[in-house]
Amino acid sequence: MEKEFTQTQHRSVTDVSPVISVKHFNLWYTDFQALKDISLDIPEHRATAFIGPSGCGKSTLLRTFNRMCDFVEGVRTEGVVEFKGQDIFKTDANALRVHVGMVFQHPNPFPMSIRENILYGPSRMKRLSRDEGDQIVERCLTRAALWDEVKDKLNQSGLGLSGGQQQRLCIARALATSPDVLLMDEPTSALDPISTSMVEELMVELSHDHTVVVVTHNMQQATRVADKTAFFYLGQLIEEAPTAELFSNPRETRTQEYLSGRFS
Amino acid sequence: MAKRLMPKKQLEGVGLTLTGACVLLVALVVIALIFMVAQQGLSAFFVDGINFISFITGTSWVPSDGVYGALPLIVTSFGVMLLATLFTLPIALGSAIFVVEVQPGFGRRIFQPLVELLMGIPSVVYGLIGLTVVNAAMRAIFGEAAGTGAGILSGGIVLAVMILPTVTTLSIDGLAAVPNEYREGSYALGCTRWQTVWHVVLKSAMPSLMTAVILGMTRAFGEALAVQMVIGGVEKVMPAGLLSPAATLTTALTSGFSNATTGSVQYHALWALGLLLMAMSLIFILIIHLIGAKGAKNRG
Ligand SMILES: Nc1ncnc2c1ncn2[C@@H]1O[C@H](COP(=O)(O)OP(=O)(O)OP(=O)(O)O)[C@@H](O)[C@H]1O
Ligand SMILES: [Mg+2]
């Protein structure tokens, strides 16, 4: 259990078809332009990391992918974001969110039992029998590496778990709708090192049959989990490349400066 | 720098004494109050020899004939309270959901001040309006069957309007206190606004909503003036239906005291009603505390 999570073999990201495609995308909060002419492909069944200094628009872009930005008053967009070839702004936002799940910075399990937390998404879509419910709960908790810890207390409140367990519960909850993409906004920034390591391992695991997009302030985390990394600065995408390449051989001076810690 | 009036240490002592005295005073008032009501009320049973069981279960309240059966009063009290809750709850909850989940701007700027205004209206005004509007409406709707229009239904409606602001305001506070993270979590799973409101927001606000309702019920239960003006209040037998005039515990108290001589059996019986009212209110408060404790436990 205590084994240190080790660096993964980065997988190729160039010969993979994109599941999300951003084309000349701009976003304004009322008058403030938070994203400027972003063009970017998110490779399918890979982990992609967004890095960059605070306020550069990482969360904004991530929250565009599942249209959580819709809830902010005064948001205006220009350009195209495609999910599996479909313009996300022309599809039903709720249907999109079933396929594009999200895990938040602060673990936010609902004030319900662990079981109810997992089944929350699926049971909004269809009636589940007891058996189907049990299967989903076990599958998702196992997938989120939480099953062994909670299998005896599925009917206890999710809020009674530790922070790291809560975050894995949130991952399991997101998996329950069988999403293609999992968006994670600084998912480990509120966690202790051991929990962080578990969640990182999970991200790598999941990225074999899900597409994972993670926002992180932790460079090591990006190198550990992401196959591809994109660096943002002041609302612009400065550089995107396979992770190893971006970290060992950044093309842009601002990327070099950021990676060497000259600003943060 | 100005010279200190007293040495610092002494000042601390004064503060402690003053605030401590305030607490003591409040505690004394509460204890004295309970003691007095209990003493006067219990003497109906222990001094005047009224049987407690027949006091609670007797179906006729005619103090002038020495008949003390409080059941009609208890039934009517609960009746108007439940009616008021039934009318108020959907409206309060509906507007709270609209204000918090649909139109927060409108809610905070226009709706909430309006509701707070309603809270400040004295109950006699509600009674007056009830007398002229509600009772007349009862006559218009039910005709002969409504008599003068005074009755349990009228009482329930007037009380519903009276407690509406309290229940609404507390429900708004309860819904607004639900962390936004829960809503985000629900939306991120593909749920619609109404699914989110129903399954997450209402569910996690349940303890505060219950508290809102019970506080409203307590207020309805204890209200005397407005109810007395619209409920008729002379009949002291079991009410036959929602349209029959009746008396509640509170209206029997307010109307009874004017013709009861101090120290008489009738006088003590009225205090016993007061004791009953106080006991009920205590039970309500206790329930609120239990719900609060349970809510705190659920939140981990
Ligand atoms: N709801 C909002 N209304 C107005 N401006 C906003 C809103 N949300 C974000 N912004 C602005 O948009 C810019 C990008 O914000 P965003 O949250 O995407 O940054 P970030 O890269 O995620 O930063 P951090 O690393 O601190 O989380 C910031 O300048 C921020 O002030
Ligand atoms: Mg952010």
Side-chain angles (χ1 to χ4, degrees), chain B residues 11 22 60 63 81 114 133 183 190 193-194 202:
Chain B
L11 208 64
C22 293
S60 170
M81 177 186 81
L114 205 77
V133 179
R183 294 187 184 89
R193 168 158 42 207
W194 296 112
L202 286 184

Side-chain angles (χ1 to χ4, degrees), chain A residues 29 32 34 53-60 72 186 217:
Chain A
Y29 290 114
F32 173 74
S54 188
C56 67
K58 308 177 293 292
S59 299
T60 301
V72 181
E186 302 184 42
H217 277 280

Side-chain angles (χ1 to χ4, degrees), chain A:
Chain A
M1 195 83 250
E2 300 292 319
K3 88 176 153 57
E4 179 73 3
F5 174 69
T6 48
Q7 147 118 32
T8 42
Q9 209 62 49
H10 292 136
R11 291 165 295 166
S12 157
V13 293
T14 44
D15 51 357
V16 187
S17 61
V19 64
I20 294 176
S21 228
V22 187
K23 292 168 185 163
H24 301 291
F25 185 70
N26 296 280
L27 184 145
W28 290 264
Y29 290 114
T30 321
D31 294 328
F32 173 74
Q33 186 167 8
L35 292 175
K36 297 169 187 160
D37 196 36
I38 307 282
S39 292
L40 174 70
D41 281 345
I42 306 292
E44 188 163 30
H45 295 175
R46 296 287 184 272
T48 302
F50 290 176
I51 61 170
S54 188
C56 67
K58 308 177 293 292
S59 299
T60 301
L61 184 59
L62 199 73
R63 287 168 159 269
T64 301
F65 291 166
N66 66 346
R67 287 188 51 188
M68 289 297 275
C69 279
D70 290 12
F71 296 111
V72 181
E73 231 170 286
V75 162
R76 192 161 57 80
T77 62
E78 223 171 63
V80 180
V81 178
E82 283 177 358
F83 169 67
K84 294 190 161 175
Q86 279 223 315
D87 187 341
I88 63 165
F89 295 106
K90 294 193 177 119
T91 57
D92 177 48
N94 294 310
L96 173 75
R97 292 185 195 123
V98 171
H99 299 290
V100 183
M102 181 165 239
V103 174
F104 297 84
Q105 180 170 5
H106 291 280
N108 60 346
F110 300 128
M112 312 168 185
S113 72
I114 293 171
R115 186 187 155 87
E116 287 171 310
N117 262 286
I118 306 283
L119 294 181
Y120 182 86
S123 49
R124 295 292 85 76
M125 294 185 285
K126 71 189 257 270
R127 272 200 78 79
L128 297 170
S129 70
R130 179 95 210 163
D131 266 3
E132 286 173 302
D134 289 344
Q135 278 170 19
I136 295 176
V137 170
E138 178 164 359
R139 174 174 59 82
C140 296
L141 284 173
T142 309
R143 211 61 227 279
L146 190 60
W147 174 250
D148 290 331
E149 289 160 67
V150 302
K151 62 170 182 268
D152 299 322
K153 46 178 181 180
L154 295 176
N155 290 317
Q156 288 174 26
S157 171
L159 299 182
L161 300 174
S162 75
Q165 289 175 324
Q166 286 190 10
Q167 193 63 306
R168 278 177 285 146
L169 176 60
C170 292
I171 294 174
R173 181 178 72 186
L175 291 174
T177 61
S178 307
D180 302 294
V181 180
L182 214 48
L183 308 173
M184 302 176 133
D185 196 346
E186 302 184 42
T188 62
S189 66
L191 304 184
D192 61 275
I194 292 175
S195 300
T196 297
S197 163
M198 289 175 97
V199 170
E200 285 182 3
E201 195 167 348
L202 213 53
M203 287 190 256
V204 173
E205 281 249 347
L206 291 171
S207 68
H208 287 277
D209 45 9
H210 295 79
T211 305
V212 174
V213 187
V214 57
V215 169
T216 181
H217 277 280
N218 180 333
M219 301 302 134
Q220 280 75 43
Q221 183 164 81
T223 56
R224 280 194 296 257
V225 307
D227 303 299
K228 172 175 180 168
T229 299
F231 170 65
F232 294 84
Y233 183 65
L234 294 179
Q236 282 175 302
L237 173 62
I238 303 297
E239 186 168 352
E240 48 147 330
T243 301
E245 194 178 311
L246 186 116
F247 277 90
S248 60
N249 210 354
R251 277 164 303 172
E252 303 287 328
T253 40
R254 266 169 305 192
T255 317
Q256 289 162 14
E257 284 175 2
Y258 181 68
L259 292 180
S260 61
R262 233 163 297 166
F263 64 89
S264 64

